[in-house]
Amino acid sequence: MLFSYFKRKLLADLKDQTMIERDQLVKKIESLENEIGILVKHLAKEQVKDVWQNESRSIIIENVTIENLNIDQADLSSNFGQLGINELSGQLNIGTTYQSKLSDKIPEKMNRLSGHSGEAGPKTTIRKRRDE
């Protein structure tokens, strides 16, 4: 009889102890499930951000058509303060100019007709003034 009493008492204590441990484990499992849920939500948000970032990087514009361009203000000034010019050659044409192949030959013909052979300068004659 004493044996059965201790057996019941021991079993009751074990049953109470296992129930307490079971309750603690259930609470721990619930808290872990909550943490996993939070992590899954956070991971899903990060994946959505990555998808948006990858999509924004993958935009390719192949053709752009501009139908109308309005310019409100244009700055056309240039600063040539530090510009160095080693050689300056060419022509400055102001207004309308017409040039043909004949215009290059005209000075040569004028020299031939006047008797100059392209010497350094024109022929000059110096005379004394007549006294009258």
Side-chain angles (χ1 to χ4, degrees):
M1 188 129 142
L2 194 58
F3 178 72
S4 65
Y5 172 76
F6 283 116
K7 184 178 171 185
R8 274 189 254 136
K9 182 76 171 157
L10 188 61
L11 287 176
D13 286 341
L14 285 175
K15 186 177 177 184
D16 289 340
Q17 200 174 24
T18 55
M19 290 300 284
I20 292 171
E21 288 178 4
R22 181 182 171 271
D23 289 340
Q24 289 175 350
L25 289 175
V26 167
K27 288 179 183 177
K28 192 162 200 162
I29 288 172
E30 287 175 355
S31 68
L32 288 173
E33 285 176 346
N34 288 337
E35 287 182 30
I36 289 173
I38 291 170
L39 290 174
V40 166
K41 287 179 184 178
H42 182 68
L43 182 62
K45 286 180 183 178
E46 290 296 322
Q47 286 178 348
V48 168
K49 286 180 184 177
D50 289 342
V51 167
W52 279 104
Q53 288 175 351
N54 290 338
E55 285 181 6
S56 66
R57 291 182 191 153
S58 65
I59 294 175
I60 298 172
I61 299 173
E62 293 182 8
N63 189 6
V64 176
T65 304
I66 299 173
E67 293 180 10
N68 190 3
L69 178 65
N70 295 326
I71 300 174
D72 294 334
Q73 183 180 7
D75 185 17
L76 300 176
S77 63
S78 298
N79 187 4
F80 292 114
Q82 296 178 356
L83 179 66
I85 300 174
N86 293 332
E87 181 180 338
L88 183 63
S89 62
Q91 289 181 338
L92 173 63
N93 296 325
I94 299 175
T96 306
T97 58
Y98 300 100
Q99 187 172 3
S100 66
K101 293 178 183 178
L102 294 176
S103 64
D104 295 335
K105 296 179 183 179
I106 289 175
E108 295 172 8
K109 286 186 179 182
M110 292 294 287
N111 286 336
R112 269 190 274 136
L113 291 176
S114 64
H116 298 299
S117 60
E119 295 175 358
K123 287 187 180 180
T124 57
T125 306
I126 300 174
R127 294 185 193 167
K128 234 181 179 184
R129 186 186 272 176
R130 290 187 210 175
D131 292 330
E132 286 186 35

